[in-house]
Amino acid sequence: MNRQRRRRIERGWNKIKLGSVCTKFVERNGLFTIPHVIAFQAVKVCNDLICVYNVGLFDFKDGSGYLERVNVCQFVNSLFRSLGSVPLGFVSEEDLETGEEV
C-alpha cells in the first residue's frame, strides 16, 4: 500500500466518531474482505478497535447455511488485524422459509 493511500485512510479513520457505524468507510477502502462473507456491518468502538458483525455463506457435506459472527479487529498502519471472532449462530438453508432473509 502506498504512502498516499495509507494517509488518506488514516485521515478518514480519524474523522469517524467513536460508536459510529463505519461500514461504508470499510467497504470503500476494501479493508474487510473475506471470500465467504456476503454482508457485514462495522462499528468503531475505540480509536484503534472496530467490531464487525458479518454473515457468511458456508457449504457443508450435509448442506449449506449462513454463519453469523462478530470479529474484533485492530486498526494498525491503515490495515485491520483480526484479534478474534465469536460465532453467534448458524442457520441452515432448510430452516429458512421461502423468501426469508438472514
Side-chain angles (χ1 to χ4, degrees):
M1 179 181 308
N2 64 21
R3 184 180 304 166
Q4 183 180 15
R5 182 170 185 252
R6 190 171 59 240
R7 286 183 184 160
R8 183 179 51 81
I9 290 172
E10 287 177 4
R11 282 193 307 269
W13 176 255
N14 291 332
K15 291 178 184 177
I16 299 170
K17 295 179 183 177
L18 295 179
S20 297
V21 175
C22 55
T23 306
K24 289 184 181 180
F25 170 80
V26 174
E27 284 178 341
R28 183 174 53 244
N29 293 298
L31 299 174
F32 188 80
T33 55
I34 299 177
H36 61 269
V37 171
I38 55 176
F40 71 91
Q41 185 163 5
V43 176
K44 184 176 180 178
V45 294
C46 185
N47 283 333
D48 62 346
L49 288 178
I50 187 171
C51 223
V52 182
Y53 166 80
N54 61 75
V55 177
L57 179 62
F58 289 91
D59 290 323
F60 297 100
K61 61 183 175 185
D62 299 335
S64 60
Y66 299 93
L67 179 66
E68 299 178 29
R69 61 187 318 127
V70 172
N71 291 26
V72 177
C73 303
Q74 183 179 21
F75 187 72
V76 178
N77 294 328
S78 303
L79 298 171
F80 286 123
R81 176 186 303 156
S82 179
L83 299 177
S85 65
V86 178
L88 299 177
F90 179 80
V91 179
S92 68
E93 285 195 334
E94 293 86 32
D95 293 342
L96 290 177
E97 295 181 19
T98 306
E100 185 179 10
E101 293 183 8
V102 177

